[in-house]
Every structure is written in structure tokens, then in C-alpha cells.
Amino acid sequence: MLENETIPTVAATPVPASETDVYAIHGADPEVLAYAMAKYSRSSLSMKESLAEISSQRAEQFLNTFYFQYGHRSIADLAHIPFAIERLSLLAAICLVDEQRWDGQERSTRYQNFRRSGWFTPTLGAAETVRFTAAVEALFAGYDRVGAGMLEALKATIPQPESMKADAYERTLKARAFDVARYLLPLATNTSLGQIVNARTLETQVSRLLTSEFAEIRSLGEKLKAAAAGEAWNVHHGDAEVLREEICSYDADCGARAAEMLLRPVKAAPTLVKYAAANEYQAQSRAALTQAAAELMARAVILPAPVVDLVDGNESLEIELATSLLYPHCHYSYRQLRESVAALTEGQRAEIVRLGMSQRGRHDELLRSFSAGQGIKFDILMDIGGFRDMHRHRRCVQLLQGYTDAHGFESPECPGQPGLEAAGLEATYEAAMDASFVAYRELRDCGVAEAAQSAQYVLPLGTRCRSMFKMDFAEALYISELRTGAGGHFSYRRVAHLMYQAVAARHPSLAAYFRVEDVNEPVDLLRR
């Protein structure tokens, strides 16, 4: 819209009262559209009438009144904003997408060579930077060797069908080779992703990122907030002069106005995210619960645990809440942690719950750990790369622990595909993993706080990580069916099948309803 321009009111097409009218909407700014939709609850105007009378200034006034003063946060659900986030580390990407209301896509480790991506280097001292860089470069060298060696092993094992073109054959086997090589990608590896989120999710996402212990992630939160408040990139802007000339060739006056409308600056959500800030409730609760977990476990040995543990639901709600609050702040299994929590007095458990509540402000959402009471709870220990795929399931509660060398690493093995030993790559792979763990411990224990925090970046995707997934029966069935499919990565296929087996063992009468594939059967490696 041109500055100081008054848009004429456009009358909506008359529709008989008994007839439903449905139309798509295009071209409205996110906050203007949110205003127009919110008007349904406060006005009898149609959407067309609301959009015709509105300006961005009026939308801002409305949102300032009803969103900030009266707490109508649901209004922000109506403003959806697309973002491109490029050249961030895998570690930061996992944190970024850790939202239950999130839609987006990330670069695939299956179809792209991540050697070309580069990596993020945190701000460290000179000696620590040298050590960090050497560790990352060593992992990428291993990634190259394992990827190339596995591709040759696959070609030697799987002949090209006459019906398959050479480029399709090569591309398919490269994807299988990348499935193995990705285990050596460090968490420092750069990736890129796109997301389309509503302003409410964006606000909580930015606040959570700004509260991170990692400088890269805090910076990412600032950049997201600035992108929402500043001018959005206009897909037509590169062709501005061509568009202006083409439109004006029909009618100079109308063409100029149309071109200005098309090329006008748009701000995605300046009002709805302007107060997003670091969340003191999250930060203070994190510190208190981390200390409580350390005191409770008193450096106890981490006991062995299965890949998938379907935790029984016989615990009281109070025990589940206390255990869930401590779980993200340590490296113990849920079952081991729960045993220690159950041994506490009722008052001691109540104190843990209080730690998760005491710093909560008026508008703070409860910590995710308070989402308790689900009937099915899986404590999962798997490689970080496979977890990233499982992380996409939003219809469940996920509690994530930090990254550590304490659980060791996975070795990639796929039924029907040459293994590391058969491909002559086992020694290369294990040497690269062992060296990365040594580098992680050296950085963690060097006595420099920034280096200790940044040590996690040198851990590769083959490192095991622990996470808790809480869900209902429908989601357990859905994940088991989807993730055991033959086209999926062998890491999460195995986990999904173990989830099915755990539910089937506990509830045998329900096992027949799961339509899962046998992950132990060799798959057609040319099938995608």
C-alpha cells in the first residue's frame, strides 16, 4: 500500500444467508490477516470487508490492545510466517525445531554431501580453536572415506539393473552410502532449513533460543526476532524494474500503483514478536533442576539400559512429575532416575516439583516436563542422527537430554547391505569415533567454560543420545508403522520396531492392529 493511501471499501459479493461462501486469501500481510480473522469474534464484517478497510497501522493498534493488554495469544496463531534459516549447525538446528507446533524441512543427510556445508566454529581461545578444528576436520575426513568406500562396496554387491538408468543407479546407492557416512558428521556441521510457523510459536521459539546456554543458539534467536520485525525478502524484488515496465506498458498510472503494491516492503510480524526475550523462568528452573539431579544421583554410575524401554505406568503422578523434571538435566535413564525419586520422601518429591514451578511468571507456559499422565512412555537410547528423524513426531511429548560420550556410539548396520567390516571400513569408522570422543573430553575438561560447553559440537551423529517420548496408543501405532517402512533409515526402523514389540508384549491383544514391516528382513537397496 502506498503511504497515506486510502483503500476504497470493497463490498463483499452478496451471498444468500443459506449458502456457504468459501474463498482462498492471497497477498495479505501476516499481521493484517491475523487482525482480520480475529475480527470475526468482534465484528459482523466479512473477511473481504475487514481486509478492505484495514491498514498495517490499524492492525498494530488492534494487536497491541488485544494481544498484549488482554492476553489474547490465540490471535498470533493466525499469523503464519515463512523463514529460511541457513548455515546453522546441526546442534542449533535440533534446538530450533524442538517445538511441538512446528512445520518445516531441513537439508537431508541422505541426498546431499555435507562435506560441502562447512561447519560452525564457536568462539574459543587459540589453543582450543586449534583442537576443535582438528577434531572436526578429522571427522569430515572419515566421512569422506566411509562414504566413498561404502559406495564402492554397494556397487560391488548390487549390480545395475538393465532397466535402471546409470544416473538413477548411482544416485540411489549414494543415498545408501550417505546413510552410513552420516554417522561421522559432527554436530558442528552446517545445515539449512525452512520453517513456516505461526507468530505464537515464533514468539516462544525465539524466547527459548534466547535462553540457551549456547552462544550460537542465542544469536539465532536474535536473528529470528530481527527477521520477523524487519522487511521480509520479496520474491519479486529481483525483477522489480522488469515488472514495473511490463505493468506500466498497459497503463502508466495504474501500472505504477500496481507495481508499488507488488513491491512494497512487508514486515512479517513486528508487533507479535517485539516483546520476545530470554525466559528467566526457564533459565532459573534449568539451573535449579540441574543441581537437584546432581545432588540426588550423587555421581551414581549410569546403569546399562535397553535401546527402547517402555516404562510401566504404575507410578504416581507426583513421582512422574519429579522424575520428568530432572530427566532433561542429567544422563540417567528414566527408570534409574525414577527409582531414586521413588525412594525420596513425599516432601522431597514435592520440593522437586516446586523447583519447576517457583520461578514461573504470570504469562510463562509450564515447562514441558509438566506434560505428564500419558499412558505410553518410551525411554529411547539411539544415535543422534536417527533421533533427528524421530524428533519430527510432534504429536507426543519429547524430553531431550544433553549430548555426551557417556553412552558410547552406534555402528551402522543395515540388513542386506554390506556392513563396515565387509566393506573394509570398520577400523576407519571406529578410529574416527574414538578420536572424536577423545577431543570431546579434552575440550570438556580443559578448564575453560566456553570450551567445555562447545565440546558437544565435536560429537558425531553416531553418538548415542537419550530422550523420553510420551504418547497415546494412536501415536505409538503411527510411529511404529511409519518408521518401520523399508524405505526408511535403518537406525530409526530398528527403534520403531522395538517400540512395536514393547507395546505388543505388554498388550498382546492389540499387536495385530500394528501394520509394521519386519526390519530384520533384507530390503531392496535400489528401492526408495
Side-chain angles (χ1 to χ4, degrees), residues 149-207:
M150 185 54 65
L151 179 59
E152 292 306 310
L154 287 165
K155 287 180 177 178
T157 306
I158 307 164
Q160 178 185 339
E162 293 183 4
S163 60
M164 194 174 198
K165 293 183 179 179
D167 58 343
Y169 170 74
E170 178 89 6
R171 185 170 58 250
T172 302
L173 291 189
K174 271 188 176 179
R176 293 292 183 182
F178 283 145
D179 277 353
V180 174
R182 84 172 191 185
Y183 280 62
L184 292 176
L185 286 174
L187 283 168
T189 306
N190 282 336
T191 186
S192 296
L193 57 84
Q195 68 174 27
I196 301 176
V197 295
N198 63 47
R200 184 176 186 175
T201 296
L202 176 64
E203 184 184 31
T204 59
Q205 182 185 50
V206 167
S207 178

Side-chain angles (χ1 to χ4, degrees), residues 26 34 98 112 161 189 242 253-254 277 280 357 415 461 485 512:
H26 170 70
D98 189 31
Q112 298 190 47
T189 306
V242 175
D253 291 335
C254 292
E280 287 302 311
M357 283 282 199
L461 293 186

Side-chain angles (χ1 to χ4, degrees), residues 149-372:
M150 185 54 65
L151 179 59
E152 292 306 310
L154 287 165
K155 287 180 177 178
T157 306
I158 307 164
Q160 178 185 339
E162 293 183 4
S163 60
M164 194 174 198
K165 293 183 179 179
D167 58 343
Y169 170 74
E170 178 89 6
R171 185 170 58 250
T172 302
L173 291 189
K174 271 188 176 179
R176 293 292 183 182
F178 283 145
D179 277 353
V180 174
R182 84 172 191 185
Y183 280 62
L184 292 176
L185 286 174
L187 283 168
T189 306
N190 282 336
T191 186
S192 296
L193 57 84
Q195 68 174 27
I196 301 176
V197 295
N198 63 47
R200 184 176 186 175
T201 296
L202 176 64
E203 184 184 31
T204 59
Q205 182 185 50
V206 167
S207 178
R208 183 174 53 79
L209 297 177
L210 293 175
T211 314
S212 174
E213 297 173 291
F214 291 90
E216 179 201 9
I217 297 174
R218 293 194 300 272
S219 174
L220 178 59
E222 294 286 1
K223 290 176 180 178
L224 263 179
K225 183 177 179 179
E231 291 184 9
W233 180 75
N234 190 328
V235 296
H236 301 294
H237 213 274
D239 302 319
E241 292 306 317
V242 175
L243 281 168
R244 190 173 282 108
E245 290 178 8
E246 185 174 339
I247 295 172
C248 290
S249 66
Y250 296 96
D251 185 310
D253 291 335
C254 292
R257 287 163 59 84
E260 290 302 321
M261 286 289 291
L262 186 64
L263 300 171
R264 67 184 175 84
V266 172
K267 295 183 179 180
T271 309
L272 294 173
V273 299
K274 68 180 180 180
Y275 294 124
N279 189 300
E280 287 302 311
Y281 167 49
Q282 292 180 16
Q284 293 178 19
S285 298
R286 179 175 61 212
L289 291 168
T290 299
Q291 181 177 345
E295 291 175 356
L296 174 65
M297 301 309 291
R299 301 190 180 215
V301 174
I302 297 174
L303 299 179
V307 173
V308 173
D309 183 11
L310 176 55
V311 181
D312 60 77
N314 298 328
E315 64 202 357
S316 68
L317 181 59
E318 290 79 6
I319 290 178
E320 181 185 354
L321 284 173
T323 306
S324 296
L325 284 164
L326 298 177
Y327 179 89
H329 307 290
C330 65
H331 298 298
Y332 297 95
S333 70
Y334 186 90
R335 191 177 292 274
Q336 182 179 358
L337 190 61
R338 186 180 64 178
E339 288 180 2
S340 296
V341 169
L344 297 174
T345 66
E346 184 177 334
Q348 289 172 319
R349 287 193 292 270
E351 174 59 18
I352 294 173
V353 175
R354 189 195 68 79
L355 290 176
M357 283 282 199
S358 60
Q359 301 300 324
R360 185 186 178 208
R362 179 182 175 188
H363 299 295
D364 288 326
E365 293 185 9
L366 281 173
L367 302 175
R368 189 181 300 177
S369 294
F370 282 105
S371 298

